[in-house]
Amino acid sequence: MKELLKRKQNRLQNYDYSQNGAYFVTICIKDKHELLWIPAFVGAHSVRPLLSDIGKVVEKAIMNIPQIYETVIIDRYTIMPNHVHMIAIIDCDHGRTLCAPTISRVIKQCKEYVTKQIGYSIWQKSFHDHIIRNEQDYINIAEYIENNPANWEIDRFFVVANQS
């Protein structure tokens, strides 16, 4: 019998992802398909690209997160052609005393919302996360998110289209 490949563990071992803190999250589109910007803006040097219809659904899903999870704040986000970056902050000290959701639960719900709205899944499995550890780390990530659209063509998720 052929042995199945084991997936690399994405999350930090023994870390409670429902505890108060700031998390930098990246969610990718399956196969790096550029579905979230209007095609004329993909590759354009635009700081405020126009979102496609799917991109607008993704933005609505992000905006819904604090309505669904009262202890979660989406502090910053940017929607790129084939991925999304956000800083999600869990703050259980203000508001309800119930346990906070994990970052995994929040992202799962966000991806499910988009899938239900458009009728099919566009998402790569899982997501990337980084626990923001201090103020300088936060500043660096916030600047990266803010500048990412203008730097699209040098982004690690940028894919050069095949030209015949």
Side-chain angles (χ1 to χ4, degrees):
M1 177 178 221
K2 186 176 180 180
E3 192 172 321
L4 296 175
L5 294 175
K6 292 186 180 182
R7 289 187 68 176
K8 180 182 169 192
Q9 184 74 338
N10 288 347
R11 307 293 157 250
L12 187 62
Q13 287 289 74
N14 302 318
Y15 185 83
D16 178 3
Y17 280 87
S18 67
Q19 71 182 342
N20 286 353
Y23 303 87
F24 174 44
V25 175
T26 301
I27 311 168
C28 296
I29 302 297
K30 189 176 359 178
D31 299 324
K32 296 184 181 177
H33 291 293
E34 296 177 350
L35 304 175
L36 305 179
W37 286 2
I38 292 177
F41 282 86
V42 174
H45 296 284
S46 174
V47 177
R48 294 302 243 166
L50 294 177
L51 297 176
S52 67
D53 289 342
I54 295 173
K56 290 175 186 174
V57 173
V58 170
E59 184 169 51
K60 184 169 183 180
I62 293 167
M63 302 307 288
N64 284 341
I65 291 171
Q67 281 28 307
I68 297 166
Y69 302 104
E70 295 176 12
T71 58
V72 178
I73 299 160
I74 302 303
D75 189 56
R76 302 203 184 224
Y77 72 93
T78 191
I79 299 172
M80 299 299 293
N82 61 11
H83 64 283
V84 175
H85 294 300
M86 69 177 85
I87 296 176
I89 298 172
I90 295 179
D91 183 7
C92 290
D93 294 336
H94 300 70
R96 293 177 22 186
T97 57
L98 297 176
C99 288
T102 63
I103 286 298
S104 291
R105 177 71 199 133
V106 171
I107 300 308
K108 180 178 188 267
Q109 182 280 325
C110 183
K111 289 165 83 172
E112 286 175 348
Y113 174 88
V114 173
T115 298
K116 287 177 183 174
Q117 294 300 308
I118 65 173
Y120 56 94
S121 178
I122 60 172
W123 304 112
Q124 175 179 300
K125 289 184 187 273
S126 198
F127 60 93
H128 304 280
D129 73 85
H130 170 79
I131 301 160
I132 299 175
R133 291 174 169 79
N134 56 48
E135 186 175 354
Q136 188 59 53
D137 197 20
Y138 174 87
I139 290 168
N140 293 343
I141 291 167
E143 286 176 1
Y144 174 79
I145 289 172
E146 185 71 28
N147 296 324
N148 202 222
N151 296 322
W152 170 232
E153 291 181 353
I154 59 171
D155 189 282
R156 71 185 205 138
F157 295 108
F158 179 77
V159 178
V160 177
N162 292 336
Q163 297 191 9
S164 303

